[in-house]
Amino acid sequence: MKTEFSPAQLADPDIAEANKILRACVHCGFCTATCPTYVLLGDELDSPRGRIYLIKEMLEKGRPPTQEVVKHIDRCLSCLACMTTCPSGVNYMHLVDQARVRIEKEYRRPLTERALRALLAWVLPRPGLFRLSMILARLGRPLAALLPAPGPAAASPTLWRRVAAMLALAPKSLPAPGAAGGSVFPAVGGRRGRVALLQGCAQQVLAPRINQAAISLLTRHGIEVVLVKDEQCCGALTHHLGQDGDALGRARANITAWLAEAGRGGLDAILVTTSGCGTVIKDYGFMLREDRDFASAAAKVSALTRDITEYVSGIELHPTQQNGDIVVAYHSACSLQHGQKITQAPKELLSKNGFVVKDVPESHLCCGSAGTYNILQPDIANRLRDRKVANIAMVGPDMIAAGNIGCMVQIASGTSVPVVHTVELLDWATGGSRPGLN
Ligand code: SF4
Ligand code: SF4
């Protein structure tokens, strides 16, 4: 794609990066076929190619984003299916991340929307506040009936529609909190390795059982696990809202905490059980590339970061349980398959450890979770969830496995089939407790 940035504009490293990405795009449009919003809405401006044009115009002209640009960028799930499909290697992720930051800085949203986004950015990364908000949301559920009835599914939802979506996502009950930061779980038998396990923010409130399963699996196979004190939310939630000041601050704090832990006791890896977080932490090196004080430390942390299934693939597991009659539909989270290009490892691990693994039709399409997307764009998100659940039903599973809490909550809201994390099944198969019962 031809670009016309001025030399002065290209002196800005972000614009120079955008220029490189834009020039790689050859307009072929292959990406449109796998873009969930284009598949649903059929509007070129809701396709990757359309959004790339909008971003190019906005950056080249140096104009503040228009309402039209914001509408189509907001509808993007950042699922990155377009990056998997693109034959020219266009890094859409870095382009749309930059567009979101610019929108956040230069576009004035209506007051109610600003308030909702500020609330999400404040509450979600703080587990204590998030837990409290889930309790309040549960209590407030009956009030949902008093909210104005939602109109027909809309691609630009009202505030009330979003509030109703938020209330609907609140779980019926909350589990007891898991282990606190600073805890160390020694390896059973001889120690073969030592890792940090990201504690996560929403996940530790909604499903602490996931990291408990990871700790049980790892320690039983000779890996010491540390929950690093002073670790924060990875910043993914605010990063995707375009609030980079907050996201980069959290990245710096985590880099400092993890490298200090590596200096104290050594770390073979920083493990992540929420693939949405893993994709962002693996990108810390890029996000902080211009920060002289953090660039090399950020690159080091990104290189140390592994999805749990990536790491466990390098360990010989010892299955003790025969689960050959259990059919597992494997839901490939976008952040894992498109963001981190991890497609086979989770399925191979499940098969090797005794499960009958089924691929889900249209597995490249997002389930609609996408961080805060199912709150901010509930109608598109619900349509994608229903499509995903219908596709999953076609393989007739006993259980659904996924590697991302956002997908797990989203899919579970549309099906009665138990949804578990891949690591819970692996833990169970190798001597841990049966998932979905505790
Ligand atoms: S990230 Fe997903 S929703 Fe956004 S343009 Fe790419 S394929 Fe479409
Ligand atoms: S597939 Fe890649 S090169 Fe083709 S239009 Fe989409 S982003 Fe551009």
Side-chain angles (χ1 to χ4, degrees), residues 123 126-139 174 205:
V123 171
R126 294 173 171 81
L129 265 181
F130 182 59
R131 171 174 282 276
L132 181 65
S133 74
M134 285 295 100
I135 294 168
L136 293 175
R138 225 172 58 228
L139 297 175
L174 283 179
V205 174

Side-chain angles (χ1 to χ4, degrees), residues 283-307:
D283 204 37
Y284 276 2
F286 176 84
M287 289 160 65
L288 288 166
R289 70 198 183 287
E290 297 294 330
D291 183 328
R292 271 186 303 179
D293 296 332
F294 275 89
S296 86
K300 198 167 168 185
V301 159
S302 291
L304 261 183
T305 303
R306 298 275 181 281
D307 181 73

